[in-house]
Amino acid sequence: MTSPSLVGKNARRFTAPSVIPGFGLTFGYTLIYLGLIVLFPLATLIWQSSGLGFSGLYAIASEPRVAASLRTTFFISFAAAVVDLFFGLIVAWVLTRYDFPGRRLLDAFVDLPFALPTAVAGISLAALYSPNGWFGAPLADYDIKVAYTRWGILVALIFIGLPFVVRTVQPIISELEAELEEASATLGAGRLQTVIRVMLPPLAPALLTGFALAFARAIGEYGSVIFIAGNIAYVSEIAPLLIVVKLEQYDVPGATGIATIMLAISFAALLLINLVQAWSRRRFGHV
Amino acid sequence: MSEIAITSSGRGRGVKFRPVTHDSSFARYTLIATAVLFLAIFLFAPLAIVFVEAFSKGIGPFLTAFGDPDARAAIRLTLLVAAISVPANLVFGLAASWSIAKFSFPGKSVLITLIDLPFSVSPVVAGLVYVLVFGGQGLFGPWLAAHGVQIIFAVPGIVLATIFVTFPFVARELIPLMEEQGKIEEEAALTLGASGFKTFLTVTLPNIKWGLLYGVLLCNARAMGEFGAVSVVSGHIRGLTNTIPLQVEILYNEYNNVAAFALAVLLAGLALVTLGLKTFLEWRHADALSGRARRH
């Protein structure tokens, strides 16, 4: 007789019964803090930009200076993520598969771009690549200018994106099964063939995830770029900088519009990462 | 018996062979050289130049940079901002991980994704959203102005922006760690009569202390070094709303290289200490940290 009412009671419960206390307090605090600090301010941005409407957003995005900055940000971020993908794979491979003096130190240093404040990275990259800097001076002899051009943006974005690829790929390389390599070798494949056709495919999801993370980070990056970019409108001005410029001109709707577009790009990258990981779990059984 | 077996199965002397799972030494050295060169150019050089530039005119001008009252104000403000935002996110991280890891409820993965959200928002956008809420033309702007409260271009705005960008650090370290540890130990303590708070202090906290320290370390490094978000809400008032990174920018733009890099040395030093402690924790207490993929 009592069972129906028990079922009804359980069905109404939000969380499964537990002897552990404090769910209401900690869950409530989590929701309130998350709501106040993150969700409400972000919702304000989306609400403000919905006031602009699609036509308003399109008008802002097609303003020549805004369009140029979005193109610059998008394409250079993509190029930087490609460079990070290539060298990140080599660095991850070297750090996981080989043992050599200084490997631990090198491994620890890969996280430097996470730990070094972006403004510091910005001024030191600018100092390195300025026409009389360590790298800038020899390059200037060949008439190559990096600082205060688009190449400078590329260098800064390569710097901040590298750890994303390395740290995503590293654990997967160390989990690669030696049996597969041995099987491939005993079946007559050359080493290069084994690496390309047996070992790289399982790394593809991690590489793609690392690439997307580096790209998403590069899209939003500000501090390390503005010192080395030269910030010439239409040429080397990135979208986050244009938000700051618009704010300084009290053009809040303009800044909101650019921010909304950038938010959409980074959410698209986030979605891509989740799709890749879901696919990878099905296909390879790991992330 | 087993000793004999081991010695006899050792490699024959003078016989060189390469396991099929090893790369040729040419490939190995080429790859190592490529990786080392790439890291030297893109990571070591930017770090080294900070110190070289800071001491380029000797130790005197380096120290003079710290005598500047504006520089001292920037250091004080940075410490203040970190002293508020890190504990705030620490408490949140504990609450979030307790509710997520010790209980099951619908929508958990959505909640975890939302907690990670600030990492995918550009720092500049993070600053902007607070301008939209609290700024002069913002949602609460007129009301705040009428009551004489200033948040944007003042310390509260800087603190809020810093809390936003460092929001997930502690939580994302603790959630997977506490999920791995399960709740059996807590349940045992509770059924043996310990109070909830005592269970947390004597059972949970010792289990997560290294992970907690790890999260706090990364949170603090980012809080002290944040530039983009803070730059948007600070207003750059010298001696009042400039943190160390903002002061570095001002000095650099004034061509005061030595002073800019001298302050940058503080931040680079912080980064090195953070990296050192992080590496130490990963090496010494790897089993007490969350084993899930670690991305920041």
Side-chain angles (χ1 to χ4, degrees):
Chain A
M1 284 302 277
T2 50
S3 59
S5 69
L6 256 181
V7 169
K9 203 178 172 189
N10 280 343
R12 273 199 305 276
R13 285 189 71 113
F14 181 62
T15 171
S18 166
V19 292
I20 297 177
F23 179 74
L25 180 70
T26 54
F27 186 70
Y29 183 75
T30 302
L31 287 189
I32 290 170
Y33 189 79
L34 177 72
L36 287 180
I37 296 288
V38 178
L39 300 184
F40 178 68
L42 282 178
T44 307
L45 173 74
I46 291 164
W47 175 62
Q48 295 277 7
S49 71
S50 72
L52 297 168
F54 273 110
S55 54
L57 271 181
Y58 184 76
I60 290 170
S62 50
E63 221 174 277
R65 190 173 170 190
V66 177
S69 79
L70 285 171
R71 264 201 305 275
T72 304
T73 299
F74 190 88
F75 286 114
I76 302 183
S77 296
F78 193 85
V82 170
V83 175
D84 282 331
L85 183 69
F86 181 72
F87 285 99
L89 174 62
I90 293 178
V91 169
W93 183 270
V94 164
L95 290 177
T96 355
R97 304 279 300 195
Y98 306 146
D99 207 10
F100 54 95
R103 186 186 63 84
R104 282 196 96 94
L105 191 70
L106 222 54
D107 195 7
F109 261 101
V110 168
D111 280 336
L112 184 74
F114 287 150
L116 195 68
T118 53
V120 178
I123 63 168
S124 58
L125 287 172
L128 279 176
Y129 290 93
S130 74
N132 48 10
W134 288 356
F135 300 150
L139 287 170
D141 293 343
Y142 296 94
D143 262 346
I144 302 171
K145 274 165 74 181
V146 174
Y148 321 123
T149 68
R150 291 176 161 195
W151 292 106
I153 305 178
L154 182 68
V155 167
L157 295 182
I158 292 172
F159 172 82
I160 54 124
L162 182 73
F164 289 97
V165 177
V166 177
R167 293 301 185 228
T168 316
V169 176
Q170 237 177 342
I172 312 298
I173 294 182
S174 64
E175 281 167 17
L176 284 177
E177 289 163 46
E179 288 85 347
L180 289 180
E181 283 174 70
E182 286 163 1
S184 161
T186 49
L187 288 172
R191 182 63 186 157
L192 194 65
Q193 233 179 339
T194 304
V195 168
I196 291 174
R197 302 186 59 174
V198 176
M199 304 180 72
L200 282 187
L203 294 182
L207 283 169
L208 203 55
T209 304
F211 174 84
L213 286 169
F215 174 73
R217 172 68 201 265
I219 289 282
E221 182 56 20
Y222 174 70
S224 58
V225 175
I226 57 162
F227 293 97
I228 197 175
N231 308 324
I232 305 152
Y234 301 101
V235 178
S236 61
E237 193 174 52
I238 54 167
L241 176 68
L242 202 52
I243 292 180
V244 175
V245 171
K246 295 249 177 207
L247 269 182
E248 280 167 0
Q249 296 166 346
Y250 299 103
D251 180 7
V252 177
T256 309
I258 304 171
T260 310
I261 294 163
M262 285 177 54
L263 213 56
I265 297 175
S266 42
F267 286 170
L270 200 70
L271 188 68
L272 173 74
I273 293 167
N274 283 329
L275 289 178
V276 166
Q277 291 186 340
W279 166 71
S280 160
R281 260 191 295 274
R282 279 198 308 273
R283 172 74 177 73
F284 298 104
H286 62 64
V287 179
Chain B
M1 283 302 280
S2 60
E3 277 169 41
I4 296 165
I6 287 168
T7 28
S8 65
S9 72
R11 273 186 208 184
R13 216 179 307 149
V15 181
K16 269 193 168 176
F17 73 96
R18 177 165 62 88
V20 289
T21 54
H22 282 203
D23 302 323
S24 70
S25 52
F26 173 74
R28 195 164 62 234
Y29 290 129
T30 313
L31 288 176
I32 291 178
T34 309
V36 169
L37 194 67
F38 183 81
L39 294 179
I41 292 174
F42 279 92
L43 298 189
F44 283 102
L47 181 67
I49 193 109
V50 175
F51 294 89
V52 171
E53 289 280 336
F55 293 103
S56 60
K57 303 253 168 25
I59 190 110
F62 171 80
L63 292 174
T64 315
F66 296 102
D68 177 22
D70 290 345
R72 287 178 179 223
I75 295 171
R76 270 197 304 275
L77 180 60
T78 295
L79 292 176
L80 174 73
V81 169
I84 300 171
S85 49
V86 174
N89 284 335
L90 167 68
V91 171
F92 164 72
L94 285 173
S97 54
W98 182 269
S99 61
I100 289 172
K102 303 294 179 193
F103 300 91
S104 50
F105 54 87
K108 197 186 263 192
S109 60
V110 177
L111 183 58
I112 294 174
T113 307
L114 289 177
I115 289 174
D116 267 350
L117 206 54
F119 276 159
S120 28
V121 174
S122 166
V124 172
V125 176
L128 173 71
V129 294
Y130 284 104
V131 173
L132 293 179
V133 175
F134 298 114
Q137 309 176 39
L139 206 54
F140 301 136
W143 187 88
L144 289 169
H147 291 77
V149 181
Q150 192 164 20
I151 291 182
I152 299 304
F153 305 145
V155 176
I158 299 175
V159 171
L160 281 173
T162 307
I163 290 181
F164 183 99
V165 293
T166 58
F167 188 86
F169 276 107
V170 180
R172 68 161 17 207
E173 177 61 29
L174 289 186
I175 292 168
L177 177 63
M178 278 165 73
E179 277 182 338
E180 279 163 30
Q181 289 174 345
K183 49 188 180 182
I184 296 169
E185 291 182 30
E186 280 81 5
E187 282 167 351
L190 287 162
T191 46
L192 288 171
S195 70
F197 188 62
K198 192 170 183 197
T199 304
F200 171 74
L201 276 187
T202 55
V203 177
T204 311
L205 206 53
N207 277 339
I208 61 166
K209 61 183 176 199
W210 297 117
L212 188 64
L213 182 63
Y214 190 92
V216 166
L217 213 59
L218 299 177
C219 183
N220 179 63
R222 181 71 193 267
M224 290 191 169
E226 178 52 28
F227 177 73
V230 170
S231 166
V232 172
V233 296
S234 124
H236 306 271
I237 309 161
R238 279 169 197 246
L240 282 178
T241 63
N242 267 351
T243 59
I244 302 177
L246 298 178
Q247 186 71 16
V248 167
E249 182 195 21
I250 286 188
L251 292 168
Y252 185 81
N253 288 340
E254 287 173 346
Y255 301 101
N256 193 346
N257 256 12
V258 171
F261 278 100
L263 282 181
V265 158
L266 278 190
L267 295 173
L270 171 75
L272 285 179
V273 170
T274 305
L275 277 187
L277 287 172
K278 177 176 175 292
T279 310
F280 174 77
L281 285 177
E282 281 166 3
W283 167 61
R284 190 73 186 78
H285 298 284
D287 50 336
L289 299 177
S290 111
R292 307 270 175 88
R294 195 165 282 133
R295 300 180 214 112
H296 316 290

